[in-house]
Amino acid sequence: MVVGRGGYAMSRRHILRLAGTGLGLAVVGAGAVGCGPEGEAVEPGGSPTPGGGKNGDPFTTPPPGTAPEPLWQQNAANSNLAGDGALAVAGDVVLVSGDPLVGRDAVTGEQKWSRAGVTTPGAELVLGGGTLYLASGEYDGDVVGLDPATGKETWRSRLGKKYEQPRPIAADDRHVYVLAGILEKDFTSPDNVIAAIDTASGRIVWREKRDSGTEEYGITAATVGNRLVYTDYRENVTVRDTTTGRQVWTKKISRSNHRRFAVHGELVIVADGQRLRAFALADGKESWSLAASEYSTFSDPHVLDGVLYASDTARSLRAVDPATGKQIWHNEDLRDTATQAWQFAKVNNTLYGATEFDKDGGVHAFDATTGKLRWTYNDRTGDIQQWYVVAAGKRLAVMHGKKLYALPAV
């Protein structure tokens, strides 16, 4: 494997093709290494490296086409069970799901707090109204709220003894939305409910039984104004009224969509196999649809700064107007230079994409105006576990396997 000018791993096939045009030696000879330290911590007070600095700040800007070095590196208790909700940023604190649940300073990487046994294994980090909501680790049916700055408990409520393993799926300034099994006399829970709990009083605002046969797991949810939107393993997208719990509409989609969807204005946008589809929040009417590259399927869409970004299994990347579905740009030249990204973050005019299940993947940096690949950061551990990336001010919080990094957003 050779690292090329853009900071990415180049295939032998690609190098030979370039050599045939006389460009191979120039590209490979640039030697811009897009990889970080191999399992070594960046010690506070160490000498600055490209992208790195003393005590995490300030940092220097690496040469064009070169991936930055981590500002700091720490171990993480990541279990890879929390999916998209395993890594989050609240203010200047990086939150990592696991046992213990940990909050770290985004600038220095120092541990600000740690809570062992506070929640259930694989709990997603649900933030709303300045509070982190989690299922109680005591399996007592409670839902707890923590201050993300300190890790201290600030809130607690419950649905009642009739419900099994309630867990938060979304939150806003008024409510935390909870999913739970309905406990039968034989201690099974074939059916489940979705409920809203008032974050001020802890009282149940509404509680609605979901359709028979729907599952408790594989749920991804978000709130948009007075609408709660969620998708599930059973290939549905559903919208409810946040005030009453009334189901506004539900629609079948052809492929399981349980990890991430995007919202923009009055639209919810889902990856439905070979198409991106936008539905009106008001009535579920399809507003627009966009096809992927031939023989490929879309990954998770993200709306960042008013632009929709989505990759596909052909390793191409699109920027789309989320209101109309009109394509802004489409980079089809990434097959030999980038791995399909499943999670995106954006800082200024750089789009960052985290990959999964590829030892040569990592965090890609793209020019948000053109989609051109700028560099790729890879820690060279060989771990095929998925990468995570979340913007943290002028930094990126990056997680891979059992390691947590901070990269400068440059």
Side-chain angles (χ1 to χ4, degrees), residues 29-351:
V33 178
C35 301
E38 196 164 341
E40 295 181 2
V42 178
E43 296 292 342
S47 60
T49 56
K54 186 176 181 179
N55 294 325
D57 200 16
F59 49 78
T60 60
T61 301
T66 304
E69 297 288 342
L71 299 168
W72 52 259
Q73 172 180 313
Q74 298 287 352
N75 293 328
N78 173 36
S79 63
N80 292 309
L81 296 175
D84 187 44
L87 182 68
V89 171
D92 62 352
V93 179
V94 180
L95 305 170
V96 182
S97 178
D99 194 12
L101 179 69
V102 174
R104 292 191 177 277
D105 187 290
V107 174
T108 66
E110 294 179 0
Q111 181 176 291
K112 301 191 74 169
W113 56 265
S114 176
R115 295 286 304 274
V118 71
T119 189
T120 55
E124 295 189 14
L125 302 172
V126 176
L127 290 162
T131 299
L132 172 63
Y133 294 100
L134 302 159
S136 171
E138 298 174 5
Y139 295 92
D140 52 7
D142 285 3
V143 177
V144 299
L146 306 182
D147 178 353
T150 64
K152 294 180 179 179
E153 183 177 317
T154 58
W155 186 91
R156 182 176 287 259
S157 185
R158 62 185 300 138
L159 288 184
K161 295 181 179 179
K162 296 180 180 180
Y163 303 97
E164 181 184 39
Q165 297 183 1
R167 66 189 185 283
I169 58 172
D172 54 30
D173 291 340
R174 298 179 302 155
H175 305 141
V176 55
Y177 302 92
V178 176
L179 197 69
I182 302 173
L183 196 60
E184 302 292 345
K185 292 181 179 180
D186 60 358
F187 300 105
T188 63
S189 53
D191 298 313
N192 59 86
V193 297
I194 190 166
I197 303 176
D198 187 280
T199 55
S201 66
R203 295 178 179 175
I204 299 170
V205 179
W206 51 259
R207 183 170 45 209
E208 293 289 325
K209 182 179 178 181
R210 297 177 68 217
D211 295 340
S212 295
T214 54
E215 299 178 3
E216 294 180 54
Y217 297 92
I219 303 292
T220 298
T223 58
V224 190
N226 65 342
R227 294 288 184 261
L228 172 67
V229 187
Y230 56 93
T231 58
D232 58 47
Y233 277 140
R234 287 299 182 96
E235 303 169 3
N236 302 300
V237 55
T238 303
V239 174
R240 290 183 181 271
D241 186 290
T242 58
T243 304
T244 64
R246 177 182 63 88
Q247 183 168 294
V248 180
W249 57 266
T250 187
K251 187 179 292 290
K252 285 284 184 184
I253 52 178
S254 63
R255 183 178 178 181
S256 178
N257 192 312
H258 62 274
R259 191 165 62 182
R260 178 180 283 271
F261 53 85
V263 291
H264 176 77
E266 294 300 315
L267 297 175
V268 54
I269 304 158
V270 301
D272 188 4
Q274 293 183 307
R275 306 195 72 83
L276 287 176
R277 302 175 69 190
F279 302 105
L281 284 171
D283 55 15
K285 182 179 179 181
E286 187 167 306
S287 176
W288 57 260
S289 175
L290 179 67
S293 303
E294 190 176 12
Y295 307 120
S296 67
T297 58
F298 276 113
S299 187
D300 309 304
H302 291 60
V303 172
L304 301 168
D305 292 342
V307 177
L308 174 70
Y309 300 99
S311 63
D312 62 31
T313 52
R315 295 190 178 184
S316 71
L317 179 65
R318 286 175 173 80
V320 177
D321 181 341
T324 65
K326 183 178 179 180
Q327 192 166 276
I328 300 171
W329 52 254
H330 181 195
N331 188 340
E332 300 180 87
D333 299 325
L334 299 172
R335 181 176 295 276
D336 292 320
T337 61
T339 301
Q340 181 185 12
W342 75 280
Q343 189 181 54
F344 292 97
K346 187 172 180 285
V347 179
N348 297 325
N349 197 43
T350 302
L351 177 70

Side-chain angles (χ1 to χ4, degrees), residues 382-406:
D383 191 337
I384 65 170
Q385 294 294 336
Q386 62 194 27
W387 290 72
Y388 300 81
V389 61
V390 181
K394 295 187 295 182
R395 292 167 177 75
L396 301 173
V398 174
M399 187 163 64
H400 182 223
K402 298 289 185 179
K403 291 293 184 180
L404 179 68
Y405 308 95

